[in-house]
Structures are given as C-alpha cells and as structure tokens.
Amino acid sequence: MRYALPLGLFVLVVVLLARGLELDPRRVPSPLIGKPLPAFEMETLAEPASTLSRADLDGRPYLLNVWASWCVACRQEHPLLVDLARRGSITLIGLNYKDTRADAAAWLADRGDPYRLSLFDADGRLGLDLGVYGVPETFFIDAEGIIRHKHIGPLDAAAFERDIAPLIERYGDGS
Amino acid sequence: MRPRTLLLAVLLALTALPVNAADTPLSFDDPVRQQRYDDLLAELRCLVCQNQSLADSHADLAQDLRDEVYRMLDEGASDGAILDFMVERYGDFVLYRPPLRASTVLLWGAPLLLALVAIAVVVRLARRRAPPPAALSDEERARLAALVADEKSGQD
C-alpha cells in the first residue's frame, strides 16, 4: 500500500512516454484542413505564357502534390504517383516548388509525368500559403476546393490506402 | 596537451560560438522595428529544425519565413498580424508559446499541478518526521511534579 502512489505515478509516466514514442513530431497537423485552398494566380510548368487560378481547378477532387527536382524524397514517392495516374485512381495536380523550369521538365522527362498539369511556384509563394515545410507534401482537395487532408513526406501505398482512398470513396475520384 | 594550451583552445572555441548565428541578417535602420523583428524571430519556431527558432535556423524555409516577417514589418503590419499569418499557415506549433486551449491545458497546467503535488508530498513527509510527543503516564507526571517542586524549593 505504501508503494501504491509511486508505483502508480511510475506506470503513468511509462504509459505517457510509450505513447510519445509512437508520435512523430514531424507530423504537424495542418490548420488548413477544412479550409479552401488559398487563392493563387500562377503559371504552369509547361506553359509560361498562361496563368491558372484556383477556380480553374475547382469542380473535381484532386491530389495536389508538392514536388521539386531537388527533392530527394520526391523520387521515392514518384513511382506510386505515376502508377496512380496510370490507373486513373485520381487526378493529380503538381505544385513545382522553388525549382527551375529546365530542371523540373528534365526530371519529369526522366521519371514520367503523372500530373495533369504542374503549377510553377518558383518563389514558393503558394507553398508558403499552404504551410509547406517538408517537400514532398500531398493535399487532397475536394470538388469545392476545400482541403480535406494533408500528407507530409513521401506518400506510400499504405498511407494512400489508409488516408486517401477513403476520401476518394467519399468525394469521388475526379473523373 | 599542456593545461595552458588547453585553456587557450577552450577560450578560442568559446569566442567562436556567437558567429554561429543565422545567415543573411536583414536589418532595419529603425531600432524599434529592428527589436520587433528580432523578438518575432525568437518567438517563431522553424518547422524544419524544430528545436530552433527562425532566428537560429539555417534551413531554407526559415530564410523564407524571415524574409516574410521582414516584408510584413516593412509594410507596417502589427506583431499580432504577423503571428496570425504564421499560425494560419503552420498552426499553433509555429509559436514557441502556444495559446491556452482545451488541447494545451495540460501543457500549461502541468507545472502548477506538479508543484501542488510536490508541496503535498513535502507537507506529508514533514508531519510524519515529527510525531507529537506521547502523553505522560501518571507515574511520569508525578515524577515531573516532584522535580519541578524540587527546582522551585532550591531557587528560594
């Protein structure tokens, strides 16, 4: 009985620490979930002459994937994105982040281009508005342009099935 | 290494520390605004190197955010507006001092709670250490009375 209190405290601390081990401090919850995609007016990677705004993308759900040719982890997730595009799982829009047109185009030519189009965010302005801090990041945007999910770091098949497939089920695949 | 050489090496190493500040220091001519800029950068966390403030971090993102803070200050934004701007994009996590909310009650309350527990424990221990003196038996009381009486008669 004498040791009940210290033992209880000890067990509590162990449980809390054990739980803490499973949390990833890199996964910072985004305050943008449930909010509309920030407004933008942006050139596309393929066509410097034409600009695109948020309204041009509305009307169908899509994945907005933040990528860059200098981003090593992007190489890791790229085959999955190419595969998703090939299977027509969902529309993919790229956000080419703080990159150069030449490098980005060469990168896509090398590895395949899964994107319906890529926005060209050379100075990282839209990236800042989206709270991007660890490329690659992937946002699920519904048909009304509302951000429903944010995945930080390279997307893998398991995370896609767990987090994004249910959203596609719910909001449609954009086809 | 001789002690003096070692001491010299340590002193040299210490003088090198301040140089480790973040690169490209943007600065204002106005000292008040400069102070606000420095304070804001110390308040905001870099999300890439999470244990560093924007002022300390060398990450590209920290540089971008420093530029953004600078730009907003330059345009006359208030400190609150700048912090709100960051929180809207990166969440409360970007602040080194998160606001008091339902999810942060434990964070803010835990030190007080721990202090109360500590005080309770100390009080309990102190009480246990000093047990109240046991009551005297009748025999002891009689002896005491005799002793006191002796003492008194001796003084007279």
Side-chain angles (χ1 to χ4, degrees), chain B residues 5 15 19 30 37 39 52 70 79 81 96 110 117 119 125 141 154:
Chain B
T5 329
T15 55
V19 185
D30 171 12
Y37 179 64
D39 290 348
Q52 288 189 306
Y70 185 88
D79 290 2
Y96 264 116
V117 168
I119 290 170
L125 282 180
R141 207 165 287 159

Side-chain angles (χ1 to χ4, degrees), chain A residues 16-134:
Chain A
L16 287 177
L17 288 178
R19 174 88 184 96
L21 279 179
E22 288 177 7
L23 297 172
D24 183 356
R26 300 253 142 223
R27 301 268 144 87
V28 179
S30 173
L32 292 163
I33 307 296
K35 300 217 176 101
L37 188 68
F40 61 87
E41 189 75 43
M42 198 162 281
E43 294 168 12
T44 64
L45 183 61
E47 294 170 63
S50 66
T51 64
L52 220 65
S53 72
R54 184 178 66 191
D56 294 321
L57 296 176
D58 281 353
R60 69 174 80 188
Y62 57 93
L63 282 185
L64 182 68
N65 177 246
V66 185
W67 67 280
S69 66
W70 48 261
C71 153
V72 179
C74 297
R75 293 172 204 177
Q76 191 184 327
E77 70 170 4
H78 203 69
L80 173 70
L81 301 184
V82 172
D83 190 47
L84 291 176
R86 191 178 50 75
R87 282 190 289 153
S89 305
I90 182 147
T91 303
L92 283 153
I93 304 287
L95 175 62
N96 184 234
Y97 177 69
K98 301 187 82 173
D99 210 344
T100 66
R101 278 210 158 81
D103 287 348
W107 199 85
L108 288 182
D110 259 13
R111 294 179 165 78
D113 184 353
Y115 308 111
R116 204 164 68 86
L117 58 91
S118 272
L119 300 164
F120 184 60
D121 189 16
D123 55 5
R125 186 71 234 174
L126 182 56
L128 183 73
D129 283 341
L130 277 169
V132 168
Y133 66 88

Side-chain angles (χ1 to χ4, degrees), chain A residues 25-26 31 98 125 128-129 131, chain B residues 48 50 64-65 68 89-90:
Chain A
R26 300 253 142 223
K98 301 187 82 173
R125 186 71 234 174
L128 183 73
D129 283 341
Chain B
V48 179
Q50 296 184 342
D64 288 357
L65 295 184
E68 194 62 29
R89 284 157 181 75
Y90 294 97

